[in-house]
Amino acid sequence: MSPAMSAKAQLEYESRVRFRQSAIAAVAGMMLVAAAIIQLGGVHTKVEELTLDLITEHKRFPVDLIGACVNSIGLVAVAITLNFVYTISKARNPEIKTFIRWLAVVGGGLSAITAIVYAVVIASKANDFVGHGAETYQQANALTSSGLVVALPLIAQFASLLLTGGFVWIALNAMRVGLLTRFMGYLGIFAGVLVLFPIGSPVPVVQGFWLLALSYLFTGRWPSGMPRAWATGQLERWPTNAEMRERRDAARGGGGREKVQRPVKPARTAVAVADDDSSAAGTPSRTRSDTPKRKRKRRR
């Protein structure tokens, strides 16, 4: 298959699935933000104490389970969205590594599973603590020291690391092939870093905004115009700063051409001017040897 036919087939495929992928990206962005808002609701402990945490968790079980389910739906939608961006990027640059796809898919899927499982396990431990026993610290420590309670946060952290790698690499490669603008590319990289290092607000505002903006881009509408790679189906690299300067110079009509500097004539001395005047008057000009030396006055 020729490159032209391959690009045409790729564009036909993208036109068929573009609006479906736009809806999935919008669901991903809204679900991530909604899950964080849900989990902020309800009662919370004001101090970090194990027994109080389990009692509070027993009261929060419905809220945390709903939040975990909503978050899992958002994470699965994120994995599907990143996989789509990877697929269309690789169609334009076959040199993109295959492992990048699996970073996003495995990271998103594993994060979704661990979110629900951890919410159910903690709720079960909290129910045992409140319903059975004297609610002592020893009992609380024994319930929360089991292998599953300790292992699930580590698995979730590993999944977040994989998802971060998928976010960063896919956004970077999509920008390099010309599917994402520089703003969207760098914002996607930053959103991926925030998955592993959630700085600032507990609500994933940056990830939600990037996914919603990506959803809008998938519809074929963009305020500054769609990037060329969406129309050609081929790799369209963004110009470098040097190339952009050359284009601006060419648009000005060659204003960027090098100017040839003319040699500066040396300043004429008074002796040279006097020689020219004497030559013009027909009198011979004096030389340095013929000119009498002035005597300096001695200072007393």
Side-chain angles (χ1 to χ4, degrees), residues 52 76 98 102 121 144 178 200-201 216-217 246 255 285 289 296 298:
L52 187 59
V76 171
T98 307
W102 297 112
V121 170
T144 56
S201 173
Y216 187 70
L217 179 66
E246 291 178 359
S285 61
S289 58
R296 296 182 181 179
R298 294 181 181 180

Side-chain angles (χ1 to χ4, degrees), residues 171-183:
L172 178 63
N173 283 295
M175 180 179 64
R176 285 177 173 175
V177 301
L179 287 170
L180 297 182
T181 62
R182 293 186 185 276
F183 170 75

